[in-house]
């Protein structure tokens, strides 16, 4: 087939290049969306490496952990006691809305120590296992 008109020839070349370009772009999009087995294999390997001999995925180090709790208590006269749980005054074991005639507030610090884990430089302690 011989095309004598140059204008028709230029149009034909443009159409052919456009079709080839569209096919290449479409194939590239198709292959980029297909699943690849390599990322799954990499994830399985990473998980296997993260497991320690006991099967735990926690990668912390054993540490002596401590916490500090500030407890406010009140001492009163006349049979009044302060309930920390209820945060209310009790008279003979029953909650009362009337405060005692006089009381003294005392603040104590309670420290607790336990065996825990620190995870990768994290200063907070977590519960075991490490």
């Amino acid at each position: 087939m011989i095309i004598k008109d140059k204008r028709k020839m230029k149009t034909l070349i443009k159409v052919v290049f456009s079709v080839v370009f569209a096919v290449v772009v479409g194939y590239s999009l198709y292959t980029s969306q297909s699943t690849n087995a390599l990322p799954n294999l990499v994830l399985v390997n990473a998980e296997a490496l993260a497991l320690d001999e006991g099967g735990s995925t926690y990668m912390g180090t054993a540490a002596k952990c401590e916490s500090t709790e500030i407890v406010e208590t009140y001492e009163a006269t006349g049979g009044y006691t302060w309930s920390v749980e209820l945060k209310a005054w009790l008279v003979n074991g029953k909650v009362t809305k009337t405060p005692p005639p006089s009381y003294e507030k005392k603040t104590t610090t309670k420290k607790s120590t336990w065996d825990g884990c620190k995870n990768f430089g994290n200063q907070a302690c977590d519960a075991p296992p490490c």
Side-chain angles (χ1 to χ4, degrees):
M1 166 167 112
I2 299 175
I3 300 175
K4 294 184 179 180
D5 189 12
K6 287 185 178 184
R7 200 166 106 185
K8 286 184 182 180
M9 183 69 148
K10 286 182 181 179
T11 305
L12 180 64
I13 290 173
K14 287 179 184 178
V15 169
V16 168
F17 277 121
S18 297
V19 169
V20 169
F21 180 76
V23 169
V24 169
V25 168
Y27 181 74
S28 296
L29 287 173
Y30 171 75
T31 57
S32 70
Q33 292 177 354
S34 66
T35 59
N36 189 355
L38 181 61
N40 290 336
L41 179 61
V42 171
L43 288 175
V44 169
N45 276 345
E47 186 176 339
L49 290 171
L51 290 174
D52 65 3
E53 292 177 7
S56 171
T57 57
Y58 191 87
M59 298 294 290
T61 56
K64 285 287 184 192
C65 302
E66 55 179 53
S67 66
T68 304
E69 180 183 5
I70 297 173
V71 180
E72 293 180 348
T73 57
Y74 297 90
E75 289 185 5
T77 57
Y80 285 87
T81 56
W82 176 255
S83 171
V84 176
E85 293 83 21
L86 298 175
K87 294 188 178 180
W89 287 106
L90 304 176
V91 176
N92 298 325
K94 295 187 180 186
V95 176
T96 180
K97 293 182 180 181
T98 310
S102 65
Y103 60 91
E104 184 180 334
K105 179 180 176 181
K106 292 191 176 189
T107 303
T108 56
T109 304
K110 179 181 174 185
K111 288 190 177 187
S112 302
T113 305
W114 73 94
D115 292 328
C117 297
K118 290 191 178 186
N119 190 10
F120 294 118
N122 184 3
Q123 296 305 312
C125 274
D126 296 324
C130 291

